[in-house]
Amino acid sequence: MILRAATNQDVKAMAQIIGDWFTATPFVPRLHTIEEDRWFIGQVVEKDDVIVADDGGVKGFIVRNGAEISQLYLATAARGLGIGSALLEKMKTRSEQLSLWCFQPNTRARRFYERHGFVAERFTDGSGNEEQVPDIRYVWRAGS
């Protein structure tokens, strides 16, 4: 597996990974079509720091805008293999501080981020996100 910068050729696979996650996650409503996801991801690849995990195809990806991790998604078959950890650790080398939002019901992701040194700093009722699902603001600081 290699970690590399995302390209426009990765957009279709990345959108599929997002769509599969939303389909498999009952506590989050699916608000966008696959076409809308492709358009959105295409915009993200153009403007943000995006790294994909490639092992004969995109197995996962992470997106950073400044110090904000806005997305970290893995293909279903790629979960539990250390790919998410590799992507997150790579982003940690690019910033002294990172922050992100995580849905409160996503206990697997919460455990993952906490294992990687992220600390919960704020809990919300979900009124500030598109999905209207309660979430948590996590922050990681180098040396903490």
Side-chain angles (χ1 to χ4, degrees):
M1 177 188 69
I2 62 167
L3 302 181
R4 60 169 176 78
T7 68
N8 287 330
Q9 289 73 35
D10 299 318
V11 168
K12 184 176 180 181
M14 294 166 68
Q16 187 63 54
I17 290 170
I18 291 173
D20 291 348
W21 184 84
F22 275 97
T23 298
T25 307
F27 58 82
V28 180
R30 172 93 178 160
L31 301 176
H32 303 283
T33 66
I34 192 72
E35 292 80 17
E36 290 169 328
D37 287 342
R38 282 187 199 128
W39 178 85
F40 174 73
I41 290 298
Q43 301 300 306
V44 167
V45 166
E46 291 293 322
K47 66 178 181 67
D48 292 339
D49 184 11
V50 185
I51 300 171
V52 297
D54 187 340
D55 187 15
V58 176
K59 304 301 181 195
F61 65 95
I62 189 167
V63 177
R64 180 178 66 93
N65 183 313
E68 180 80 15
I69 299 293
S70 61
Q71 298 176 58
L72 173 55
Y73 289 98
L74 299 175
T76 304
R79 294 181 191 147
L81 303 175
I83 296 170
S85 294
L87 288 165
L88 191 57
E89 292 304 317
K90 181 71 169 176
M91 279 302 181
K92 283 181 173 182
T93 68
R94 298 179 179 207
S95 183
E96 291 293 311
Q97 177 175 314
L98 295 171
S99 57
L100 58 89
W101 288 98
C102 180
F103 294 119
Q104 288 185 35
N106 194 346
T107 56
R108 184 175 179 172
R110 290 172 63 176
R111 285 190 307 270
F112 171 81
Y113 292 123
E114 290 166 8
R115 268 194 327 268
H116 288 279
F118 283 77
V119 176
E121 291 200 344
R122 191 167 118 206
F123 291 76
T124 78
D125 63 3
S127 61
N129 65 56
E130 184 178 32
E131 295 84 1
Q132 300 292 297
V133 176
D135 56 6
I136 305 168
R137 179 72 164 179
Y138 277 103
V139 176
W140 167 84
R141 292 175 180 86
S144 294

